[in-house]
Amino acid sequence: ARAIRPPPCHSRANSAPSSRRASAMAKPTLHYFRIRGRGEPMRLILHLKAVDHDDVGIDFASMKQDLEGFPFAQAPRYVDSDVDITQSNAIVRYLGHKYGMMGSTPKQAAMIDMVAEGVESVRGKYGDLIYGSKLADEAKEAYWKTHCDPATTGERNGGAHFAYLEALLKKSSSGWTAGTAEPNVADVQLFDVFDLHARIFGDKLKVAYPTLAALHDRFAGIPEIKAYLESDRRPAAVNGVPLG
C-alpha cells in the first residue's frame, strides 16, 4: 500500500500511537486516515456485512513512529480480537474469508484473487496519476489512452487496463465476479476502482465499459451500501491530496 500524507482527521480525534498491546478491542477497528484511499474497500465490506466496527483516524507522523502497530510504517491497520494486521490486500482477503466473500470453491476463489490482482494493477497506475502527475491534463489524456481506451489493449500497459476487467466480468453468469451468487471481494474492488475513475472520466468510462458500469450501479444500490455511501461515515476526501 502506498504511504501517503493525508489531510488531518476531522471526524474523530487522532489516535495515539497504537500498540499491539491494545489489540483486544471490543469492536473490530479500522485504523486509517480520514480519506477513502486504501481503506475504502474495507469500509465497503464492513458496511455490506453490517459489521459493528470503529473507524479510527490516524496521524501520519505518529504512524511512522509506531512500528509495533504499523510494522511496515503504512496504513491501513485492522484489529479484530486477536487478529492485528496491516497491508491493505491482506486485510481485504481476511475480511473476505471471514465473511464468506471468497467464493464457495477453489476455482471461484482463484478467479476472485486473479481479478483482485488485476484491479491492483490499475490502482497502482491511478496512484501515479494522482500523486505523481497531479492529474495534469496531459497526463490524464495519456492515462486514458494507455489504461482505459478500448482500442489500446494490445499496447504496453503493465497489465492495467479496464478492458481486461470488463472481459473477465462479462464471463460471469451472475453479474458478480466468478459467478458467485452474492458480491465478493473482487466485486468490492471493482466497484471502488471504477468509482475512482468515473470521478475523473465520467460518462466516457461508463459508455466504454457497460458491464463494469452495471456492476457499479448494482453494488451501489444494495441497501447497506447505499446507506453508507450517503452517510457521513464515508470520508469526503478521496485521496491524500485534493485531487481525484
Side-chain angles (χ1 to χ4, degrees), residues 4-243:
I4 54 179
R5 187 179 300 276
C9 169
H10 296 297
S11 69
R12 181 168 178 164
N14 289 344
S15 58
S18 305
S19 168
R20 289 185 177 264
R21 293 189 300 272
S23 61
M25 297 181 179
K27 294 180 184 179
T29 302
L30 176 66
H31 300 261
Y32 194 55
F33 313 116
R34 287 306 301 171
I35 62 173
R36 297 177 195 174
R38 288 281 186 170
E40 192 66 0
M42 296 148 219
R43 295 185 181 108
L44 291 166
I45 292 171
L46 292 168
H47 285 277
L48 176 66
K49 294 301 179 177
V51 178
D52 186 17
H53 67 284
D54 287 328
D55 192 338
V56 177
I58 63 172
D59 173 77
F60 183 86
S62 297
M63 176 200 70
K64 284 295 187 181
Q65 296 170 6
D66 182 14
L67 293 183
E68 186 178 0
F70 299 89
F72 295 96
Q74 291 180 313
R77 174 190 179 193
Y78 188 72
V79 181
D80 183 8
S81 187
D82 62 341
V83 174
D84 190 345
I85 53 175
T86 62
Q87 298 294 345
S88 56
N89 290 330
I91 297 170
V92 167
R93 285 184 172 90
Y94 167 76
L95 293 173
H97 286 294
K98 181 167 183 175
Y99 297 112
M101 298 180 66
M102 291 296 295
S104 59
T105 67
K107 181 179 180 180
Q108 283 186 331
M111 178 61 69
I112 290 166
D113 267 334
M114 184 176 81
V115 172
E117 290 298 322
V119 172
E120 181 63 23
S121 295
V122 174
R123 193 183 296 277
K125 302 300 183 182
Y126 170 86
D128 292 340
L129 176 64
I130 297 296
Y131 294 100
S133 301
K134 307 300 182 185
L135 204 57
D137 288 342
E138 185 176 342
K140 189 164 65 173
E141 183 178 345
Y143 186 96
W144 174 267
K145 182 178 180 181
T146 303
H147 303 295
C148 304
D149 188 339
T152 63
T153 57
E155 300 179 11
R156 291 185 180 275
N157 52 39
H161 204 294
F162 273 90
Y164 305 154
L165 302 175
E166 174 89 353
L168 288 168
L169 187 59
K170 278 184 176 180
K171 295 179 180 181
S172 170
S173 58
S174 68
W176 303 119
T177 299
T180 59
E182 301 292 336
N184 55 67
V185 297
D187 299 315
V188 173
Q189 299 280 33
L190 286 171
F191 168 85
D192 186 47
V193 80
F194 193 88
D195 197 64
L196 290 170
H197 286 75
R199 291 176 60 89
I200 298 172
F201 298 112
D203 289 343
K204 184 178 180 181
L205 185 73
K206 297 176 183 179
V207 170
Y209 299 107
T211 308
L212 288 169
L215 179 144
H216 177 274
D217 292 347
R218 182 183 181 191
F219 187 81
I222 296 172
E224 294 82 0
I225 295 299
K226 185 174 187 293
Y228 166 65
L229 297 179
E230 294 175 353
S231 75
D232 59 5
R233 293 202 70 177
R234 190 185 200 198
V238 179
N239 296 303
V241 292
L243 297 170

